[in-house]
Coordinates of all heavy atoms in Angstrom, one line a residue:
I1308 N 92.9 112.9 68.8 CA 92.8 111.4 69.1 C 94.2 110.8 68.9 O 94.5 109.8 69.5 CB 91.9 110.7 68.1 CG1 91.5 109.4 68.6 CG2 92.5 110.7 66.7 CD1 90.5 109.4 69.7
R1313 N 100.1 108.1 72.9 CA 101.5 108.7 73.0 C 102.0 108.5 74.4 O 101.3 108.8 75.4 CB 101.3 110.2 72.8 CG 102.6 111.0 72.9 CD 102.5 112.4 72.5 NE 103.7 113.1 72.8 CZ 104.0 114.4 72.4 NH1 103.0 115.0 71.8 NH2 105.1 115.0 72.7
W1358 N 83.3 97.5 95.7 CA 82.1 97.2 96.5 C 81.4 96.0 95.9 O 81.1 95.0 96.6 CB 81.2 98.4 96.5 CG 80.0 98.3 97.3 CD1 79.8 97.5 98.4 CD2 78.8 99.1 97.2 NE1 78.5 97.7 98.9 CE2 77.9 98.7 98.2 CE3 78.4 100.1 96.3 CZ2 76.6 99.2 98.3 CZ3 77.1 100.7 96.5 CH2 76.3 100.2 97.5
L1388 N 94.5 112.8 94.7 CA 93.1 113.2 94.8 C 92.7 114.1 93.7 O 93.5 115.1 93.4 CB 92.8 113.9 96.2 CG 93.1 113.0 97.4 CD1 93.0 113.8 98.7 CD2 92.0 111.9 97.4
G1389 N 91.6 113.9 93.1 CA 91.0 114.9 92.2 C 91.8 115.1 90.9 O 91.6 116.2 90.3
I1567 N 112.0 99.5 92.7 CA 113.0 99.1 91.6 C 112.8 100.1 90.4 O 113.8 100.5 89.9 CB 112.8 97.7 91.3 CG1 113.2 96.8 92.5 CG2 113.7 97.3 90.1 CD1 112.9 95.3 92.3
A1591 N 94.9 96.3 103.8 CA 93.6 96.5 104.4 C 92.5 95.5 103.9 O 91.7 95.0 104.7 CB 93.1 98.0 104.1
R1603 N 88.6 84.4 116.8 CA 88.6 85.5 117.8 C 90.1 86.0 118.0 O 90.3 87.2 118.1 CB 88.0 85.2 119.1 CG 88.0 86.4 120.1 CD 87.3 86.0 121.4 NE 86.0 85.5 121.2 CZ 85.2 85.0 122.2 NH1 85.7 84.9 123.4 NH2 83.9 84.6 121.9
P1627 N 96.3 120.1 105.3 CA 97.2 120.8 104.3 C 97.9 119.8 103.4 O 98.2 120.1 102.2 CB 98.2 121.5 105.2 CG 97.4 121.8 106.4 CD 96.6 120.6 106.6

Side-chain angles (χ1 to χ4, degrees):
I1308 199 74
R1313 179 172 175 176
W1358 183 23
L1388 297 171
I1567 294 170
R1603 182 179 300 176

